[in-house]
Amino acid sequence: MLDNTLPLLTRGYAWLPDLSRRTGPGPVRTRLLGKPVIALRGPAAVPFFYDENHVRRRTALPEPVLSTLFGKGAVHTLDGEEHRRRKALFMSHLKDAARITALAQRVTDEWERARKEWADRPQVTLFDEVSVLITRAVYAWAGVPLAEHPDDESRRTAGDLVAMVDGFATAGPRHWQARAARRRQEERLARLIEEIRSADRDPAAQDGPPSVVEAVAAHREADGRLLDPRTAAVELLNVLRPTVAVTWYTVFGAHALHRHPELRKRLAGEGEGYARAFAHEVRRFYPFAPFVAGLAPADLDWQGEPIKEGTLVLLDLYGQNHDPGLWDAPYTFDPERFTGREPGRDELVPQGGGDAAEGHRCPGEDVTLAVLTALLPRLARLDYHVPEQDLRIPLHRMPTRPRSGFVMTDVR
Ligand code: HEM
């Protein structure tokens, strides 16, 4: 079997679906980075994949992904008790309804502020603007200061956070920018963690629950030790960076509205229920995380298919979200599939599956939905013109987005 690392890098989101079409029903088998690979999908495969006896994360992620997207020593790379303890740090902040509402309010305020400025400009690129306004909101919410000339620093910081996501799956200049961005931001945040620790504030004297940055600074591992400052910075970035990554979905939402103008009125006026259905469909339909991966720690059996120890097991997220066996007309954008119902736990998997507290499922889904349900109806209510531009979303680029970044003129 040929090694498929190069086809993955060149074909992107089309790589697994193409292989699957060629090999027929059943899991896809191939090789990546010299390792045998099996790719699974479907609601029955999700609990199998998230069972730690079947898939381990330590050493599964290649160095170029860690040095850009996630950071070394990140929660993504832990297993067992070590993982659950670190994960609890994220869950306590990211699943708290009052904190999520507060973040959504900050995002809304930043949108309203930015929207007024857009009216004075000949044109704006939605991707760039949304990345900056989410950066400003999430930094303030997490208790991470941005310097006094806020526009400059929030733009530079947003650029770094976007670069880390944008450059993880390529070998070109985008990759080197991503590494430099991560180095810069880790150094800065590690210094901040040290400052917070050395200030030695009395927690009892504090007027409110700890912010994200304070919680990360105070977090202790099972052996009682604080995280070293660099790892603390990595985990702080694991809240800041993916919140800013909701920019991708916001711009995909703009793309969907442009392609389906008939949905605009309902999204603008109907309230939270329809906005949530729309957000789910954006997460299902548009390509973002292609798959998740781990290593089989022993010889396994998946529905009669043998999986040898050391095999790289993939859960095909993009494939499952477009599986015709699960979704009617999967390549049609239709929020109606989610009106009046929430998707099943292991049905819609753009941010992983299973139980977030127990396994590696993304702890940021509530945050993602809160930001999208705040921004997408506001986008639908905004008056703007979409000039001629390249709105294609290339499937070979990972992560992808409308090529132009979604340029708008006459914004009101
Ligand atoms: C832009 C939308 C987002 C997408 C597409 C996304 C996607 C994902 C995926 C696919 C995983 C891996 C699941 C697995 O390994 O099984 C993940 C994990 C994670 N995400 Fe998200 N995510 C998003 C937003 C967020 C947000 C807003 C936050 C935090 C505020 C967040 C924090 C994390 C963390 C900390 C993990 C690691 C969890 C673990 O290893 O236990 N994500 N995300």
Side-chain angles (χ1 to χ4, degrees), residues 49-50 57 75-76 83 87 90 94 238-239 242-243 245-246 249 288-289 292 317 350-353 356 359-364 367-368:
F49 179 87
Y50 282 94
R57 303 304 181 101
V75 62
H76 305 72
H83 172 254
K87 188 69 176 277
F90 291 91
L94 302 178
N238 278 330
V239 173
T243 307
V246 180
Y249 280 148
F288 202 3
V292 283
L317 306 179
Q351 297 175 235
H360 283 271
R361 187 189 192 118
C362 177
V367 166
T368 305

PDB file of all heavy atoms in Angstrom, residues 49-50 57 75-76 83 87 90 94 238-239 242-243 245-246 249 288-289 292 317 350-353 356 359-364 367-368, ligand 1:
ATOM      1  N   PHE A  49     -13.968   4.696  18.853  1.00  0.00           N
ATOM      2  CA  PHE A  49     -12.792   5.559  18.726  1.00  0.00           C
ATOM      3  C   PHE A  49     -12.451   6.243  20.043  1.00  0.00           C
ATOM      4  O   PHE A  49     -11.276   6.407  20.397  1.00  0.00           O
ATOM      5  CB  PHE A  49     -13.038   6.605  17.633  1.00  0.00           C
ATOM      6  CG  PHE A  49     -11.893   7.570  17.442  1.00  0.00           C
ATOM      7  CD1 PHE A  49     -10.845   7.258  16.579  1.00  0.00           C
ATOM      8  CD2 PHE A  49     -11.840   8.772  18.134  1.00  0.00           C
ATOM      9  CE1 PHE A  49      -9.777   8.127  16.415  1.00  0.00           C
ATOM     10  CE2 PHE A  49     -10.776   9.647  17.982  1.00  0.00           C
ATOM     11  CZ  PHE A  49      -9.747   9.330  17.118  1.00  0.00           C
ATOM     12  N   TYR A  50     -13.487   6.656  20.796  1.00  0.00           N
ATOM     13  CA  TYR A  50     -13.225   7.414  22.035  1.00  0.00           C
ATOM     14  C   TYR A  50     -12.988   6.527  23.252  1.00  0.00           C
ATOM     15  O   TYR A  50     -12.776   7.032  24.360  1.00  0.00           O
ATOM     16  CB  TYR A  50     -14.347   8.434  22.286  1.00  0.00           C
ATOM     17  CG  TYR A  50     -14.178   9.653  21.391  1.00  0.00           C
ATOM     18  CD1 TYR A  50     -14.832   9.749  20.171  1.00  0.00           C
ATOM     19  CD2 TYR A  50     -13.299  10.670  21.748  1.00  0.00           C
ATOM     20  CE1 TYR A  50     -14.638  10.847  19.341  1.00  0.00           C
ATOM     21  CE2 TYR A  50     -13.091  11.764  20.928  1.00  0.00           C
ATOM     22  CZ  TYR A  50     -13.771  11.846  19.723  1.00  0.00           C
ATOM     23  OH  TYR A  50     -13.554  12.932  18.905  1.00  0.00           O
ATOM     24  N   ARG A  57      -3.715   8.966  22.513  1.00  0.00           N
ATOM     25  CA  ARG A  57      -3.314  10.196  21.829  1.00  0.00           C
ATOM     26  C   ARG A  57      -1.818  10.487  21.926  1.00  0.00           C
ATOM     27  O   ARG A  57      -1.245  11.112  21.032  1.00  0.00           O
ATOM     28  CB  ARG A  57      -4.094  11.381  22.400  1.00  0.00           C
ATOM     29  CG  ARG A  57      -5.602  11.234  22.310  1.00  0.00           C
ATOM     30  CD  ARG A  57      -6.035  10.986  20.885  1.00  0.00           C
ATOM     31  NE  ARG A  57      -7.481  10.859  20.780  1.00  0.00           N
ATOM     32  CZ  ARG A  57      -8.286  11.828  20.360  1.00  0.00           C
ATOM     33  NH1 ARG A  57      -7.787  12.981  19.995  1.00  0.00           N
ATOM     34  NH2 ARG A  57      -9.583  11.622  20.277  1.00  0.00           N
ATOM     35  N   VAL A  75      -3.296  19.479  26.152  1.00  0.00           N
ATOM     36  CA  VAL A  75      -4.314  18.527  26.588  1.00  0.00           C
ATOM     37  C   VAL A  75      -4.637  17.494  25.497  1.00  0.00           C
ATOM     38  O   VAL A  75      -4.936  16.346  25.788  1.00  0.00           O
ATOM     39  CB  VAL A  75      -5.597  19.300  27.024  1.00  0.00           C
ATOM     40  CG1 VAL A  75      -6.200  20.103  25.869  1.00  0.00           C
ATOM     41  CG2 VAL A  75      -6.645  18.399  27.645  1.00  0.00           C
ATOM     42  N   HIS A  76      -4.506  17.920  24.248  1.00  0.00           N
ATOM     43  CA  HIS A  76      -4.800  17.018  23.118  1.00  0.00           C
ATOM     44  C   HIS A  76      -3.932  15.769  23.137  1.00  0.00           C
ATOM     45  O   HIS A  76      -4.288  14.744  22.574  1.00  0.00           O
ATOM     46  CB  HIS A  76      -4.540  17.737  21.785  1.00  0.00           C
ATOM     47  CG  HIS A  76      -5.271  19.038  21.623  1.00  0.00           C
ATOM     48  ND1 HIS A  76      -4.927  20.167  22.324  1.00  0.00           N
ATOM     49  CD2 HIS A  76      -6.308  19.374  20.842  1.00  0.00           C
ATOM     50  CE1 HIS A  76      -5.737  21.157  21.977  1.00  0.00           C
ATOM     51  NE2 HIS A  76      -6.589  20.700  21.084  1.00  0.00           N
ATOM     52  N   HIS A  83      -5.113  13.197  31.444  1.00  0.00           N
ATOM     53  CA  HIS A  83      -5.986  13.938  30.528  1.00  0.00           C
ATOM     54  C   HIS A  83      -7.216  14.463  31.242  1.00  0.00           C
ATOM     55  O   HIS A  83      -7.570  15.640  31.122  1.00  0.00           O
ATOM     56  CB  HIS A  83      -6.400  13.055  29.337  1.00  0.00           C
ATOM     57  CG  HIS A  83      -7.446  13.712  28.476  1.00  0.00           C
ATOM     58  ND1 HIS A  83      -8.771  13.326  28.475  1.00  0.00           N
ATOM     59  CD2 HIS A  83      -7.364  14.772  27.636  1.00  0.00           C
ATOM     60  CE1 HIS A  83      -9.449  14.114  27.653  1.00  0.00           C
ATOM     61  NE2 HIS A  83      -8.631  14.987  27.130  1.00  0.00           N
ATOM     62  N   LYS A  87      -8.303  18.236  31.521  1.00  0.00           N
ATOM     63  CA  LYS A  87      -9.533  18.588  30.789  1.00  0.00           C
ATOM     64  C   LYS A  87     -10.517  19.320  31.688  1.00  0.00           C
ATOM     65  O   LYS A  87     -11.253  20.217  31.242  1.00  0.00           O
ATOM     66  CB  LYS A  87     -10.178  17.309  30.232  1.00  0.00           C
ATOM     67  CG  LYS A  87     -11.376  17.514  29.285  1.00  0.00           C
ATOM     68  CD  LYS A  87     -10.936  18.119  27.979  1.00  0.00           C
ATOM     69  CE  LYS A  87     -12.052  18.256  26.968  1.00  0.00           C
ATOM     70  NZ  LYS A  87     -12.328  17.065  26.209  1.00  0.00           N
ATOM     71  N   PHE A  90     -10.483  23.013  31.521  1.00  0.00           N
ATOM     72  CA  PHE A  90     -11.230  23.605  30.405  1.00  0.00           C
ATOM     73  C   PHE A  90     -12.734  23.543  30.652  1.00  0.00           C
ATOM     74  O   PHE A  90     -13.445  24.511  30.423  1.00  0.00           O
ATOM     75  CB  PHE A  90     -10.896  22.864  29.104  1.00  0.00           C
ATOM     76  CG  PHE A  90      -9.496  23.086  28.643  1.00  0.00           C
ATOM     77  CD1 PHE A  90      -8.462  22.247  29.031  1.00  0.00           C
ATOM     78  CD2 PHE A  90      -9.190  24.162  27.822  1.00  0.00           C
ATOM     79  CE1 PHE A  90      -7.163  22.471  28.614  1.00  0.00           C
ATOM     80  CE2 PHE A  90      -7.903  24.403  27.400  1.00  0.00           C
ATOM     81  CZ  PHE A  90      -6.882  23.548  27.794  1.00  0.00           C
ATOM     82  N   LEU A  94     -15.479  26.459  30.251  1.00  0.00           N
ATOM     83  CA  LEU A  94     -16.096  26.481  28.919  1.00  0.00           C
ATOM     84  C   LEU A  94     -17.497  25.884  28.901  1.00  0.00           C
ATOM     85  O   LEU A  94     -18.182  25.949  27.889  1.00  0.00           O
ATOM     86  CB  LEU A  94     -15.194  25.753  27.915  1.00  0.00           C
ATOM     87  CG  LEU A  94     -13.780  26.334  27.793  1.00  0.00           C
ATOM     88  CD1 LEU A  94     -12.948  25.525  26.813  1.00  0.00           C
ATOM     89  CD2 LEU A  94     -13.844  27.795  27.347  1.00  0.00           C
ATOM     90  N   ASN A 238      -4.959  27.397  24.054  1.00  0.00           N
ATOM     91  CA  ASN A 238      -5.967  26.414  23.618  1.00  0.00           C
ATOM     92  C   ASN A 238      -7.388  26.862  23.939  1.00  0.00           C
ATOM     93  O   ASN A 238      -8.347  26.180  23.576  1.00  0.00           O
ATOM     94  CB  ASN A 238      -5.672  25.033  24.208  1.00  0.00           C
ATOM     95  CG  ASN A 238      -4.617  24.316  23.383  1.00  0.00           C
ATOM     96  OD1 ASN A 238      -4.527  24.545  22.167  1.00  0.00           O
ATOM     97  ND2 ASN A 238      -3.817  23.481  24.016  1.00  0.00           N
ATOM     98  N   VAL A 239      -7.520  27.996  24.627  1.00  0.00           N
ATOM     99  CA  VAL A 239      -8.833  28.655  24.760  1.00  0.00           C
ATOM    100  C   VAL A 239      -8.921  29.836  23.781  1.00  0.00           C
ATOM    101  O   VAL A 239      -9.912  29.998  23.072  1.00  0.00           O
ATOM    102  CB  VAL A 239      -9.052  29.153  26.207  1.00  0.00           C
ATOM    103  CG1 VAL A 239     -10.315  29.987  26.316  1.00  0.00           C
ATOM    104  CG2 VAL A 239      -9.115  27.957  27.164  1.00  0.00           C
ATOM    105  N   PRO A 242      -8.749  28.767  19.514  1.00  0.00           N
ATOM    106  CA  PRO A 242      -9.938  28.209  18.857  1.00  0.00           C
ATOM    107  C   PRO A 242     -11.162  29.117  18.951  1.00  0.00           C
ATOM    108  O   PRO A 242     -12.057  29.034  18.110  1.00  0.00           O
ATOM    109  CB  PRO A 242     -10.174  26.887  19.582  1.00  0.00           C
ATOM    110  CG  PRO A 242      -9.408  26.961  20.849  1.00  0.00           C
ATOM    111  CD  PRO A 242      -8.288  27.925  20.627  1.00  0.00           C
ATOM    112  N   THR A 243     -11.210  29.990  19.953  1.00  0.00           N
ATOM    113  CA  THR A 243     -12.343  30.935  19.982  1.00  0.00           C
ATOM    114  C   THR A 243     -12.226  31.867  18.775  1.00  0.00           C
ATOM    115  O   THR A 243     -13.223  32.146  18.092  1.00  0.00           O
ATOM    116  CB  THR A 243     -12.376  31.722  21.307  1.00  0.00           C
ATOM    117  OG1 THR A 243     -12.355  30.781  22.395  1.00  0.00           O
ATOM    118  CG2 THR A 243     -13.626  32.567  21.419  1.00  0.00           C
ATOM    119  N   ALA A 245     -10.857  31.059  16.115  1.00  0.00           N
ATOM    120  CA  ALA A 245     -11.113  30.227  14.921  1.00  0.00           C
ATOM    121  C   ALA A 245     -12.599  30.167  14.558  1.00  0.00           C
ATOM    122  O   ALA A 245     -12.939  29.770  13.440  1.00  0.00           O
ATOM    123  CB  ALA A 245     -10.571  28.812  15.145  1.00  0.00           C
ATOM    124  N   VAL A 246     -13.465  30.599  15.454  1.00  0.00           N
ATOM    125  CA  VAL A 246     -14.892  30.659  15.098  1.00  0.00           C
ATOM    126  C   VAL A 246     -15.094  31.652  13.946  1.00  0.00           C
ATOM    127  O   VAL A 246     -16.117  31.646  13.271  1.00  0.00           O
ATOM    128  CB  VAL A 246     -15.767  30.984  16.343  1.00  0.00           C
ATOM    129  CG1 VAL A 246     -17.243  31.057  16.006  1.00  0.00           C
ATOM    130  CG2 VAL A 246     -15.550  29.920  17.438  1.00  0.00           C
ATOM    131  N   TYR A 249     -16.059  29.831  10.821  1.00  0.00           N
ATOM    132  CA  TYR A 249     -17.485  29.485  10.698  1.00  0.00           C
ATOM    133  C   TYR A 249     -18.340  30.719  10.436  1.00  0.00           C
ATOM    134  O   TYR A 249     -19.359  30.643   9.749  1.00  0.00           O
ATOM    135  CB  TYR A 249     -17.965  28.791  11.977  1.00  0.00           C
ATOM    136  CG  TYR A 249     -17.606  27.323  12.068  1.00  0.00           C
ATOM    137  CD1 TYR A 249     -17.359  26.747  13.309  1.00  0.00           C
ATOM    138  CD2 TYR A 249     -17.540  26.513  10.937  1.00  0.00           C
ATOM    139  CE1 TYR A 249     -17.049  25.390  13.425  1.00  0.00           C
ATOM    140  CE2 TYR A 249     -17.221  25.168  11.043  1.00  0.00           C
ATOM    141  CZ  TYR A 249     -16.977  24.610  12.289  1.00  0.00           C
ATOM    142  OH  TYR A 249     -16.677  23.279  12.391  1.00  0.00           O
ATOM    143  N   PHE A 288     -13.885  21.997   8.020  1.00  0.00           N
ATOM    144  CA  PHE A 288     -12.914  22.623   8.935  1.00  0.00           C
ATOM    145  C   PHE A 288     -11.982  21.538   9.473  1.00  0.00           C
ATOM    146  O   PHE A 288     -10.958  21.255   8.861  1.00  0.00           O
ATOM    147  CB  PHE A 288     -13.641  23.414  10.021  1.00  0.00           C
ATOM    148  CG  PHE A 288     -12.772  24.482  10.646  1.00  0.00           C
ATOM    149  CD1 PHE A 288     -11.495  24.717  10.195  1.00  0.00           C
ATOM    150  CD2 PHE A 288     -13.245  25.272  11.676  1.00  0.00           C
ATOM    151  CE1 PHE A 288     -10.686  25.699  10.755  1.00  0.00           C
ATOM    152  CE2 PHE A 288     -12.451  26.263  12.255  1.00  0.00           C
ATOM    153  CZ  PHE A 288     -11.175  26.464  11.795  1.00  0.00           C
ATOM    154  N   ALA A 289     -12.305  20.888  10.596  1.00  0.00           N
ATOM    155  CA  ALA A 289     -11.436  19.801  11.072  1.00  0.00           C
ATOM    156  C   ALA A 289     -11.734  18.561  10.211  1.00  0.00           C
ATOM    157  O   ALA A 289     -12.870  18.115  10.166  1.00  0.00           O
ATOM    158  CB  ALA A 289     -11.729  19.509  12.538  1.00  0.00           C
ATOM    159  N   VAL A 292      -9.907  13.240  13.320  1.00  0.00           N
ATOM    160  CA  VAL A 292      -9.055  13.182  14.513  1.00  0.00           C
ATOM    161  C   VAL A 292      -8.359  11.830  14.506  1.00  0.00           C
ATOM    162  O   VAL A 292      -8.839  10.883  13.864  1.00  0.00           O
ATOM    163  CB  VAL A 292      -9.860  13.409  15.812  1.00  0.00           C
ATOM    164  CG1 VAL A 292     -10.160  14.884  15.986  1.00  0.00           C
ATOM    165  CG2 VAL A 292     -11.152  12.622  15.845  1.00  0.00           C
ATOM    166  N   LEU A 317     -14.242  12.897  10.481  1.00  0.00           N
ATOM    167  CA  LEU A 317     -15.283  13.859  10.877  1.00  0.00           C
ATOM    168  C   LEU A 317     -15.987  14.444   9.659  1.00  0.00           C
ATOM    169  O   LEU A 317     -17.220  14.481   9.584  1.00  0.00           O
ATOM    170  CB  LEU A 317     -14.682  14.992  11.710  1.00  0.00           C
ATOM    171  CG  LEU A 317     -13.874  14.600  12.954  1.00  0.00           C
ATOM    172  CD1 LEU A 317     -13.332  15.840  13.653  1.00  0.00           C
ATOM    173  CD2 LEU A 317     -14.726  13.783  13.925  1.00  0.00           C
ATOM    174  N   PRO A 350     -18.450  17.828  13.969  1.00  0.00           N
ATOM    175  CA  PRO A 350     -17.403  18.735  13.463  1.00  0.00           C
ATOM    176  C   PRO A 350     -16.333  19.025  14.513  1.00  0.00           C
ATOM    177  O   PRO A 350     -15.213  19.419  14.174  1.00  0.00           O
ATOM    178  CB  PRO A 350     -18.181  20.017  13.139  1.00  0.00           C
ATOM    179  CG  PRO A 350     -19.407  19.956  13.996  1.00  0.00           C
ATOM    180  CD  PRO A 350     -19.748  18.503  14.104  1.00  0.00           C
ATOM    181  N   GLN A 351     -16.669  18.838  15.799  1.00  0.00           N
ATOM    182  CA  GLN A 351     -15.714  19.122  16.873  1.00  0.00           C
ATOM    183  C   GLN A 351     -15.454  17.853  17.695  1.00  0.00           C
ATOM    184  O   GLN A 351     -15.152  17.925  18.879  1.00  0.00           O
ATOM    185  CB  GLN A 351     -16.240  20.305  17.715  1.00  0.00           C
ATOM    186  CG  GLN A 351     -16.330  21.575  16.859  1.00  0.00           C
ATOM    187  CD  GLN A 351     -16.937  22.790  17.534  1.00  0.00           C
ATOM    188  OE1 GLN A 351     -17.889  23.350  17.019  1.00  0.00           O
ATOM    189  NE2 GLN A 351     -16.406  23.221  18.644  1.00  0.00           N
ATOM    190  N   GLY A 352     -15.557  16.723  17.033  1.00  0.00           N
ATOM    191  CA  GLY A 352     -15.328  15.436  17.694  1.00  0.00           C
ATOM    192  C   GLY A 352     -16.633  14.868  18.248  1.00  0.00           C
ATOM    193  O   GLY A 352     -17.698  15.480  18.116  1.00  0.00           O
ATOM    194  N   GLY A 353     -16.531  13.666  18.850  1.00  0.00           N
ATOM    195  CA  GLY A 353     -17.727  12.989  19.363  1.00  0.00           C
ATOM    196  C   GLY A 353     -17.492  12.478  20.775  1.00  0.00           C
ATOM    197  O   GLY A 353     -16.479  12.780  21.404  1.00  0.00           O
ATOM    198  N   ALA A 356     -17.486  15.036  26.285  1.00  0.00           N
ATOM    199  CA  ALA A 356     -16.366  15.988  26.340  1.00  0.00           C
ATOM    200  C   ALA A 356     -15.554  15.855  27.632  1.00  0.00           C
ATOM    201  O   ALA A 356     -14.332  16.019  27.619  1.00  0.00           O
ATOM    202  CB  ALA A 356     -16.865  17.418  26.166  1.00  0.00           C
ATOM    203  N   GLY A 359     -13.666  12.159  27.307  1.00  0.00           N
ATOM    204  CA  GLY A 359     -12.749  11.930  26.185  1.00  0.00           C
ATOM    205  C   GLY A 359     -12.196  13.234  25.643  1.00  0.00           C
ATOM    206  O   GLY A 359     -12.202  14.256  26.328  1.00  0.00           O
ATOM    207  N   HIS A 360     -11.745  13.203  24.399  1.00  0.00           N
ATOM    208  CA  HIS A 360     -11.090  14.379  23.818  1.00  0.00           C
ATOM    209  C   HIS A 360     -12.043  15.284  23.051  1.00  0.00           C
ATOM    210  O   HIS A 360     -11.594  16.232  22.421  1.00  0.00           O
ATOM    211  CB  HIS A 360      -9.944  13.941  22.900  1.00  0.00           C
ATOM    212  CG  HIS A 360      -8.722  13.519  23.649  1.00  0.00           C
ATOM    213  ND1 HIS A 360      -7.731  14.393  24.001  1.00  0.00           N
ATOM    214  CD2 HIS A 360      -8.349  12.316  24.132  1.00  0.00           C
ATOM    215  CE1 HIS A 360      -6.776  13.751  24.657  1.00  0.00           C
ATOM    216  NE2 HIS A 360      -7.133  12.477  24.743  1.00  0.00           N
ATOM    217  N   ARG A 361     -13.352  14.981  23.069  1.00  0.00           N
ATOM    218  CA  ARG A 361     -14.273  15.857  22.346  1.00  0.00           C
ATOM    219  C   ARG A 361     -14.004  17.315  22.725  1.00  0.00           C
ATOM    220  O   ARG A 361     -13.671  17.626  23.868  1.00  0.00           O
ATOM    221  CB  ARG A 361     -15.717  15.514  22.708  1.00  0.00           C
ATOM    222  CG  ARG A 361     -16.723  16.279  21.868  1.00  0.00           C
ATOM    223  CD  ARG A 361     -18.149  16.124  22.354  1.00  0.00           C
ATOM    224  NE  ARG A 361     -19.060  16.639  21.344  1.00  0.00           N
ATOM    225  CZ  ARG A 361     -19.971  15.913  20.715  1.00  0.00           C
ATOM    226  NH1 ARG A 361     -20.140  14.659  21.020  1.00  0.00           N
ATOM    227  NH2 ARG A 361     -20.729  16.453  19.767  1.00  0.00           N
ATOM    228  N   CYS A 362     -14.181  18.202  21.744  1.00  0.00           N
ATOM    229  CA  CYS A 362     -13.942  19.627  21.964  1.00  0.00           C
ATOM    230  C   CYS A 362     -14.791  20.154  23.122  1.00  0.00           C
ATOM    231  O   CYS A 362     -16.006  19.993  23.124  1.00  0.00           O
ATOM    232  CB  CYS A 362     -14.296  20.369  20.677  1.00  0.00           C
ATOM    233  SG  CYS A 362     -14.134  22.144  20.803  1.00  0.00           S
ATOM    234  N   PRO A 363     -14.165  20.816  24.094  1.00  0.00           N
ATOM    235  CA  PRO A 363     -14.953  21.425  25.179  1.00  0.00           C
ATOM    236  C   PRO A 363     -15.538  22.772  24.772  1.00  0.00           C
ATOM    237  O   PRO A 363     -16.241  23.396  25.562  1.00  0.00           O
ATOM    238  CB  PRO A 363     -13.906  21.609  26.283  1.00  0.00           C
ATOM    239  CG  PRO A 363     -12.625  21.817  25.533  1.00  0.00           C
ATOM    240  CD  PRO A 363     -12.723  20.979  24.278  1.00  0.00           C
ATOM    241  N   GLY A 364     -15.237  23.226  23.547  1.00  0.00           N
ATOM    242  CA  GLY A 364     -15.619  24.582  23.140  1.00  0.00           C
ATOM    243  C   GLY A 364     -16.862  24.638  22.259  1.00  0.00           C
ATOM    244  O   GLY A 364     -17.117  25.662  21.634  1.00  0.00           O
ATOM    245  N   VAL A 367     -19.289  27.359  23.438  1.00  0.00           N
ATOM    246  CA  VAL A 367     -18.736  28.682  23.107  1.00  0.00           C
ATOM    247  C   VAL A 367     -18.911  28.951  21.609  1.00  0.00           C
ATOM    248  O   VAL A 367     -19.341  30.031  21.195  1.00  0.00           O
ATOM    249  CB  VAL A 367     -17.243  28.764  23.510  1.00  0.00           C
ATOM    250  CG1 VAL A 367     -16.566  29.973  22.884  1.00  0.00           C
ATOM    251  CG2 VAL A 367     -17.097  28.813  25.027  1.00  0.00           C
ATOM    252  N   THR A 368     -18.595  27.957  20.801  1.00  0.00           N
ATOM    253  CA  THR A 368     -18.715  28.119  19.348  1.00  0.00           C
ATOM    254  C   THR A 368     -20.151  28.488  18.983  1.00  0.00           C
ATOM    255  O   THR A 368     -20.395  29.435  18.220  1.00  0.00           O
ATOM    256  CB  THR A 368     -18.315  26.794  18.643  1.00  0.00           C
ATOM    257  OG1 THR A 368     -17.000  26.432  19.073  1.00  0.00           O
ATOM    258  CG2 THR A 368     -18.354  26.930  17.132  1.00  0.00           C
TER     259      THR A 368
HETATM  260  C1  HEM B   1     -13.949  26.879  15.482  1.00  0.00           C
HETATM  261  C2  HEM B   1     -14.643  25.943  15.948  1.00  0.00           C
HETATM  262  C3  HEM B   1     -14.011  24.730  16.527  1.00  0.00           C
HETATM  263  C4  HEM B   1     -13.720  23.556  15.901  1.00  0.00           C
HETATM  264  C5  HEM B   1     -13.976  23.187  14.459  1.00  0.00           C
HETATM  265  C6  HEM B   1     -13.114  22.699  16.890  1.00  0.00           C
HETATM  266  C7  HEM B   1     -12.729  21.398  16.650  1.00  0.00           C
HETATM  267  C8  HEM B   1     -12.130  20.580  17.583  1.00  0.00           C
HETATM  268  C9  HEM B   1     -11.765  19.212  17.346  1.00  0.00           C
HETATM  269  C10 HEM B   1     -12.003  18.437  16.068  1.00  0.00           C
HETATM  270  C11 HEM B   1     -11.157  18.772  18.465  1.00  0.00           C
HETATM  271  C12 HEM B   1     -10.516  17.410  18.683  1.00  0.00           C
HETATM  272  C13 HEM B   1     -11.459  16.388  19.225  1.00  0.00           C
HETATM  273  C14 HEM B   1     -10.736  15.074  19.441  1.00  0.00           C
HETATM  274  O1  HEM B   1      -9.506  15.058  19.492  1.00  0.00           O
HETATM  275  O2  HEM B   1     -11.376  14.046  19.546  1.00  0.00           O
HETATM  276  C15 HEM B   1     -11.126  19.852  19.408  1.00  0.00           C
HETATM  277  C16 HEM B   1     -10.540  19.774  20.657  1.00  0.00           C
HETATM  278  C17 HEM B   1     -10.405  20.851  21.489  1.00  0.00           C
HETATM  279  N1  HEM B   1     -10.987  22.095  21.335  1.00  0.00           N
HETATM  280 FE1  HEM B   1     -12.116  22.681  19.785  1.00  0.00          FE
HETATM  281  N2  HEM B   1     -13.017  23.361  18.073  1.00  0.00           N
HETATM  282  C18 HEM B   1     -13.553  24.600  17.912  1.00  0.00           C
HETATM  283  C19 HEM B   1     -13.707  25.575  18.868  1.00  0.00           C
HETATM  284  C20 HEM B   1     -13.164  25.508  20.132  1.00  0.00           C
HETATM  285  C21 HEM B   1     -13.290  26.527  21.136  1.00  0.00           C
HETATM  286  C22 HEM B   1     -14.149  27.782  20.965  1.00  0.00           C
HETATM  287  C23 HEM B   1     -12.533  26.137  22.204  1.00  0.00           C
HETATM  288  C24 HEM B   1     -12.286  26.817  23.508  1.00  0.00           C
HETATM  289  C25 HEM B   1     -12.802  27.974  23.850  1.00  0.00           C
HETATM  290  C26 HEM B   1     -11.937  24.857  21.865  1.00  0.00           C
HETATM  291  C27 HEM B   1     -11.061  24.151  22.667  1.00  0.00           C
HETATM  292  C28 HEM B   1     -10.630  22.873  22.405  1.00  0.00           C
HETATM  293  C29 HEM B   1      -9.761  22.106  23.293  1.00  0.00           C
HETATM  294  C30 HEM B   1      -9.130  22.596  24.593  1.00  0.00           C
HETATM  295  C31 HEM B   1      -9.624  20.827  22.714  1.00  0.00           C
HETATM  296  C32 HEM B   1      -8.815  19.655  23.261  1.00  0.00           C
HETATM  297  C33 HEM B   1      -9.734  18.687  23.985  1.00  0.00           C
HETATM  298  C34 HEM B   1      -9.067  17.423  24.461  1.00  0.00           C
HETATM  299  O3  HEM B   1      -8.044  17.012  23.890  1.00  0.00           O
HETATM  300  O4  HEM B   1      -9.583  16.832  25.418  1.00  0.00           O
HETATM  301  N3  HEM B   1     -12.347  24.512  20.615  1.00  0.00           N
HETATM  302  N4  HEM B   1     -11.750  20.953  18.861  1.00  0.00           N
END
